[in-house]
Amino acid sequence: MIYIAGMDDHADQIRKPRADAVRNRERVLEAAKTVFNAGGPEASLEAVAKRAGVGIGTLYRHFPTREDLYEAVYRREVEQLSELAEHLRSAKDPVDALRRWLRSAVEFVATKKGMSAALALTFQSSSELAAFSMDRLTKAIGSLLDRAVAAGQMRADISPEDLLRALIGMCYMHDQPGWQSSVLRMLDVFVDGLCIQTAAKAKVRSAKPAKPSAKRIR
Amino acid sequence: MIYIAGMDDHADQIRKPRADAVRNRERVLEAAKTVFNAGGPEASLEAVAKRAGVGIGTLYRHFPTREDLYEAVYRREVEQLSELAEHLRSAKDPVDALRRWLRSAVEFVATKKGMSAALALTFQSSSELAAFSMDRLTKAIGSLLDRAVAAGQMRADISPEDLLRALIGMCYMHDQPGWQSSVLRMLDVFVDGLCIQTAAKAKVRSAKPAKPSAKRIR
DNA sequence: CGAAGATACGGAGGCGCCCTCCGCTTAACA
DNA sequence: TGTTAAGCGGAGGGCGCCTCCGTATCTTCG
């Protein structure tokens, strides 16, 4: 092996990543999100590259396999959802903040229509990804839930994990027709149920009623 | 348009399907089952054709799209599971028959490792398939359950749907490590719970205990 | 600022798979 | 046994995957 003078000196010195590389990576992710959501997970990677305005080689350097790309797109969206929770922490009404976040989460699932199969595959090969997202989402819910509890507006015996599990369970049926409005309705009922009952609860609900006969959690 | 004499006379007369066509179709299905289970759903259709010993054209005539093939393979296996229930109906011990069938179902899920993503995709585009398999499996469970109930060996307040749902729910975690033995254990406990308690229940259980501390349903 | 070197870019090209098409074969029927 | 519809096989055009390397661009350092 050849020894290069000064090698060790610079071994731990990290160079600032090139600006264009960072930019291109972001572009590809954005393009992939659009293309996959529209054309399903079978969509051509060349189409993604073209949409991102980069060469196919660039795409492959950043994401050596198709799964890598799926994973990165998904991870990014989970992070965005997590950041949304950060922002919502500064909202006035804690209960409303939680409600909004939950709705965004449902929307997130909805846009994943075509990707669900791909994600199932990816989750299988990388349980680290599953752990990461569970953790991130639990923390997001937790921060919103805690605030509502601290404000005395919600019962304290529900854990973030419980709520997340309920959310996922509800969304699990997301290939039935009309699932989305059904889930939104159930979430509203759920949040109502979480709330500590006061006179203020007579507040008007914005969601349109599904069926007049729909039972109300007491 | 040209009128062909006698066209109407034979319009409803159906010719017996050619023997080779039937044989080839079956061969392709068998090959597909093997190839997909081994190589995942991405496996090449040409490999399937080669393994089946037919030309690629033949494969495509029987199954115009990849999804058609997935669906047919899956359907066939559901049917086999259903037939197994038929056979088990003539077993001596109704409870044991049910237990055996449930185990076979778990095994069935286990062999679907690589296919689960593909199936998720197929289910999405063909909810008819989902309905078909739910129906078939419910009936299979029902026939076994009924017999056990009729024999006075099981409680009567559990519907086949409940049992199927429990089974599916348990298998839902089938990408965690060690899921299979866990599910088998839970099923045993479940069946025990279904049984009407008698002294005969002291019968030895064949499954090896997982943890000495495992709680028993009372 | 300019040179040097590291890093990233792009896309041509080889490869393998997808799927169609059509001339040949074979089974069913009379 | 002859007729004919049904089925068979696989060549071939096309497309997407992925690698490889000459070129371009960025960072660092003097």
Side-chain angles (χ1 to χ4, degrees):
Chain A
M1 206 205 198
I2 297 166
Y3 176 76
I4 298 165
M7 194 166 74
D8 286 350
D9 302 337
H10 300 290
D12 55 349
Q13 177 186 342
I14 28 146
R15 215 186 163 98
K16 185 166 44 157
R18 281 178 55 158
D20 54 348
V22 174
R23 178 166 31 80
N24 279 334
R25 191 191 156 86
E26 194 59 21
R27 276 193 193 169
V28 169
L29 281 177
E30 194 61 37
K33 175 179 160 185
T34 311
V35 171
F36 286 145
N37 281 343
E42 324 269 63
S44 126
L45 294 190
E46 261 144 25
V48 173
K50 184 174 279 180
R51 185 181 181 90
V54 305
I56 186 67
T58 299
L59 187 151
Y60 272 96
R61 198 167 334 92
H62 285 295
F63 309 100
T65 74
R66 184 177 273 265
E67 273 70 36
D68 287 334
L69 184 53
Y70 289 152
E71 177 168 343
V73 169
Y74 175 75
R75 227 189 194 91
R76 187 160 156 276
E77 295 209 63
V78 167
E79 255 150 19
Q80 285 170 357
L81 217 42
S82 180
E83 276 160 26
L84 175 63
E86 287 292 313
H87 291 152
L88 284 175
R89 277 175 67 90
S90 53
K92 262 180 304 184
D93 183 351
V95 173
D96 194 54
L98 179 60
R99 205 188 293 273
R100 275 194 198 164
W101 189 87
L102 290 173
R103 288 185 182 191
S104 297
V106 173
E107 221 160 277
F108 164 74
V109 173
T111 64
K112 291 284 144 303
K113 260 196 178 72
M115 286 197 66
S116 60
L119 285 176
L121 207 86
T122 307
F123 261 61
Q124 225 162 29
S125 61
S126 151
S127 63
E128 186 274 331
L129 177 63
F132 163 82
S133 37
M134 284 306 121
D135 183 63
R136 220 53 193 290
L137 295 177
T138 302
K139 280 184 180 141
I141 288 190
S143 75
L144 294 173
L145 196 57
D146 283 353
R147 209 161 67 97
V149 170
Q153 299 194 277
M154 278 195 173
R155 42 196 290 192
D157 59 345
I158 298 296
S159 74
E161 285 86 0
D162 291 334
L163 193 43
L164 181 58
R165 248 193 300 273
L167 179 66
I168 292 175
M170 287 179 186
C171 289
Y172 182 46
M173 304 308 294
H174 80 106
D175 26 12
Q176 250 68 32
W179 71 274
Q180 197 170 355
S181 61
S182 153
V183 170
L184 287 175
R185 239 176 294 128
M186 289 202 290
L187 277 180
D188 260 343
V189 171
F190 205 80
V191 172
D192 284 355
L194 280 174
C195 284
I196 288 161
Q197 311 292 321
T198 68
K201 270 303 304 313
K203 184 163 53 177
V204 180
R205 177 102 319 111
S206 62
K208 42 232 166 263
K211 286 181 186 171
S213 67
K215 288 197 201 81
R216 201 149 217 283
I217 272 186
R218 57 171 222 98
Chain B
M1 203 203 201
I2 296 166
Y3 177 78
I4 297 165
M7 193 165 74
D8 286 350
D9 301 337
H10 301 290
D12 55 349
Q13 178 185 343
I14 26 145
R15 214 187 163 99
K16 183 163 54 152
R18 283 178 55 156
D20 53 350
V22 174
R23 178 166 31 81
N24 280 333
R25 191 191 156 86
E26 194 58 22
R27 276 192 192 170
V28 169
L29 281 177
E30 195 60 38
K33 175 179 160 185
T34 311
V35 171
F36 286 145
N37 281 342
E42 325 268 62
S44 128
L45 294 190
E46 261 146 22
V48 173
K50 184 174 281 182
R51 186 183 181 90
V54 305
I56 186 68
T58 299
L59 187 152
Y60 272 95
R61 196 167 337 92
H62 285 294
F63 309 101
T65 75
R66 184 176 274 266
E67 272 69 37
D68 288 335
L69 185 52
Y70 288 152
E71 177 169 342
V73 170
Y74 176 75
R75 228 190 195 91
R76 187 160 156 276
E77 296 209 62
V78 167
E79 255 150 20
Q80 285 171 356
L81 217 42
S82 180
E83 276 159 26
L84 174 62
E86 289 291 313
H87 291 152
L88 285 174
R89 276 175 68 88
S90 52
K92 260 180 303 183
D93 182 353
V95 172
D96 193 55
L98 179 61
R99 204 188 295 272
R100 275 193 197 166
W101 189 87
L102 290 173
R103 288 184 181 192
S104 296
V106 173
E107 219 160 278
F108 164 73
V109 173
T111 65
K112 291 282 145 302
K113 259 195 179 75
M115 286 198 67
S116 62
L119 284 176
L121 207 85
T122 307
F123 261 60
Q124 226 161 30
S125 60
S126 152
S127 63
E128 187 273 328
L129 178 62
F132 163 83
S133 36
M134 286 304 122
D135 183 63
R136 220 53 194 290
L137 295 178
T138 302
K139 280 185 180 141
I141 288 189
S143 75
L144 294 173
L145 195 57
D146 283 354
R147 209 162 66 98
V149 170
Q153 300 194 276
M154 278 196 174
R155 41 196 290 189
D157 60 345
I158 298 296
S159 74
E161 286 85 0
D162 290 335
L163 193 43
L164 181 58
R165 246 191 302 274
L167 179 66
I168 292 175
M170 287 180 185
C171 290
Y172 183 45
M173 303 308 294
H174 80 106
D175 25 13
Q176 250 67 32
W179 70 273
Q180 197 170 356
S181 61
S182 155
V183 169
L184 287 176
R185 240 177 292 128
M186 289 201 289
L187 277 180
D188 259 344
V189 172
F190 204 81
V191 172
D192 284 354
L194 280 174
C195 285
I196 289 162
Q197 310 291 322
T198 68
K201 272 302 304 315
K203 184 163 51 177
V204 180
R205 177 102 319 109
S206 63
K208 43 229 164 270
K211 289 180 185 173
S213 68
K215 288 197 199 80
R216 201 148 217 282
I217 275 186
R218 55 171 223 95

